[in-house]
Amino acid sequence: MSEQTVGPLDYPDSPLALAARQPLMLGLFLPTQTGGFSQSTHPRATDWSFDYNAQLTLAAEKYGFDFVFSLQQWVPKGGFGGEMHYRENFLDPFITTVALSSLTSRIITISTVNVLYGNLHPLYLARFAATADHIAKGRFGLNIVTGYDAKEPLMFGMDRLDHDARYQQASEFSTIMETLWQGEDNLDFAGDFYQLQQAWVSPAPRYGRPIMVSASASPAGFAYAAQHSDIVFTSSPAGAVFAQAITALPAHTASIRTAYQQQGKTPKIIIFPLIICRPTREEAFAYRDAIVAQADKASIQAYTARHSGGDAHGWKQHIPADRVLGGHIQIIGSPQDVADELEQLHQAGIDGVQLGFYDYAPELAFFAEQVLPLLKQRNLRRDLP
């Protein structure tokens, strides 16, 4: 099997290559689950429904965003509980993003898939993703995750593998898919985790393979990403408070680039800021305070308890209070403040952001009206053909 596979960034006209021409790629982290990413009962219209997320996606495309992203998580009845039943309703990201791609014409749609659950086989996902790629005309991506939560595998009657072993299995899984997408011949494969005889997938994806993303924050995750992924979706190694996170990010992003350099590649690194933006800094912090004052403490406690049983490397410095707003990093302030801090993220080695909001629709519109022009003034965003 080939050591290097051709991917979307190798095609100058691919949707990902076009998006990567932006100095700072812009994405939207869709709230396809109850409560989105914020555990507060402060009033808002954010909704998990497909129709609401379709409206957000169409708006993001109109505003010139490059991609939308959908989360995967498996939760029991009632979600994480609390007054809001946080994340009880949860749209499947694969089906959602494929459906969204058929409603749009330019924006990339990325689905999170845990490749280790439910005996999902790489032959199945290779065909599913190739089909999605054709529906989306090359605008479809897979965010491959391996499952840090100790309880999720139990839903599938499975035990959780050790952290690094999960990435070894995911690497074998992705290698098989990449070989199938190359389509040079029927595939015979006998690995540590998967066996295939005379396997074949056709038609091939439009640009070598679908866009590949890895949500990673550990050395094993970075090594996997460097082998298989166009984009690394990483988190802050120093918690969600911007002033702390921004000091830690340069070394963090440098470690990702080092892993890629060892493979002769260059990554695109993205992160998830939760944006609280108002006309003035004072208004933004007052809004933040109002959200925090209505924290859904019971759901935060349940989320924290479940998360503490996981082995994710990316959230070690995050504290329960971070969950009220959510996000890998929280950016709070006026349009000028938000533009300043997005620029600092770019200077720290971040190539793109997938944004979250508390009340998505109006806050996305305000961001597009007030912050996007400032990003263009700073040459972080360009008007591309």
Side-chain angles (χ1 to χ4, degrees):
M1 287 183 285
S2 173
E3 292 293 325
Q4 295 281 350
T5 59
V6 175
L9 288 172
D10 298 309
Y11 293 82
D13 63 336
S14 76
L16 180 59
L18 295 174
R21 290 165 59 188
Q22 292 286 359
L24 185 70
M25 295 187 293
L26 282 183
L28 185 68
F29 211 168
L30 294 172
T32 50
Q33 57 283 335
T34 304
F37 301 94
S38 305
Q39 291 175 257
S40 171
T41 60
H42 186 72
R44 54 176 164 163
T46 296
D47 184 30
W48 59 267
S49 70
F50 179 79
D51 287 346
Y52 183 81
N53 282 276
Q55 292 170 10
L56 292 177
T57 301
L58 290 168
E61 182 170 72
K62 180 182 71 174
Y63 299 141
F65 278 50
D66 303 299
F67 58 90
V68 293
F69 210 101
S70 189
L71 177 73
Q72 180 65 288
Q73 191 172 41
W74 297 93
V75 296
K77 181 179 180 180
F80 291 98
E83 183 178 341
M84 62 194 303
H85 289 189
Y86 183 60
R87 293 189 174 176
E88 178 174 34
N89 290 311
F90 213 117
L91 295 181
D92 179 76
F94 193 100
I95 295 174
T96 299
T97 50
V98 173
L100 290 173
S101 72
S102 70
L103 300 178
T104 54
S105 60
R106 186 195 56 79
I107 200 164
I108 292 166
T109 65
I110 299 173
S111 170
T112 302
V113 177
N114 189 311
V115 296
L116 306 188
Y117 288 171
N119 296 316
L120 180 64
H121 197 278
L123 179 59
Y124 261 121
L125 187 57
R127 174 174 281 180
F128 291 165
T131 301
D133 177 88
H134 278 265
I135 293 170
K137 299 179 174 59
R139 295 181 291 115
F140 178 77
L142 289 173
N143 173 39
I144 301 296
V145 297
T146 63
Y148 73 90
D149 193 319
K151 291 187 176 180
E152 281 190 345
L154 301 178
M155 295 186 180
F156 295 90
M158 302 171 61
D159 293 323
R160 186 183 65 184
L161 290 175
D162 290 340
H163 180 276
D164 290 6
R166 296 201 302 273
Y167 276 109
Q168 293 171 9
Q169 183 173 351
S171 184
E172 188 172 299
F173 192 111
S174 294
T175 296
I176 292 168
M177 290 198 298
E178 291 158 3
T179 308
L180 289 166
W181 290 327
Q182 288 180 65
E184 295 177 0
D185 203 347
N186 292 335
L187 175 61
D188 289 330
F189 183 90
D192 295 328
F193 302 96
Y194 304 100
Q195 292 75 42
L196 297 84
Q197 294 184 24
Q198 297 293 288
W200 174 257
V201 167
S202 183
R206 289 193 171 206
Y207 300 101
R209 55 168 171 70
I211 298 161
M212 294 288 280
V213 183
S214 175
S216 304
S218 67
F222 298 157
Y224 164 86
Q227 287 184 283
H228 301 287
S229 302
D230 306 295
I231 297 171
V232 178
F233 176 33
T234 196
S235 59
S236 160
V241 175
F242 187 87
Q244 298 171 358
I246 198 64
T247 61
L249 276 172
H252 185 68
T253 57
S255 66
I256 297 173
R257 295 187 192 282
T258 297
Y260 271 73
Q261 288 167 1
Q262 292 170 354
Q263 298 289 330
K265 299 178 181 179
T266 302
K268 293 296 179 183
I269 304 171
I270 64 174
I271 201 165
F272 168 31
L274 196 291
I275 304 291
I276 298 292
C277 189
R278 285 291 189 266
T280 68
R281 184 179 303 171
E282 293 73 21
E283 290 174 282
F285 277 91
Y287 181 43
R288 188 279 308 269
D289 292 345
I291 295 169
V292 171
Q294 293 184 255
D296 191 5
K297 295 179 181 178
S299 73
I300 292 172
Q301 184 178 16
Y303 186 97
T304 302
R306 189 169 183 187
H307 185 78
S308 65
D311 61 0
H313 286 213
W315 296 84
K316 291 182 178 179
Q317 300 303 317
H318 288 251
I319 60 176
D322 293 338
R323 295 300 315 166
V324 186
L325 294 181
H328 294 157
I329 293 176
Q330 294 163 2
I331 295 179
I332 305 164
S334 68
Q336 187 75 36
D337 294 330
V338 171
D340 286 345
E341 295 192 359
L342 289 174
E343 185 172 20
Q344 290 179 57
L345 287 179
H346 182 60
Q347 293 168 346
I350 296 297
D351 301 299
V353 289
Q354 56 177 28
L355 306 178
F357 300 95
Y358 185 75
D359 194 359
Y360 264 75
E363 293 174 28
L364 171 61
F366 184 79
F367 177 91
E369 178 185 351
Q370 298 294 326
V371 180
L372 272 180
L374 299 177
L375 299 181
K376 290 180 179 179
Q377 290 174 15
R378 297 159 188 248
N379 201 34
L380 293 172
R381 296 290 297 175
R382 299 169 179 162
D383 291 322
L384 300 176

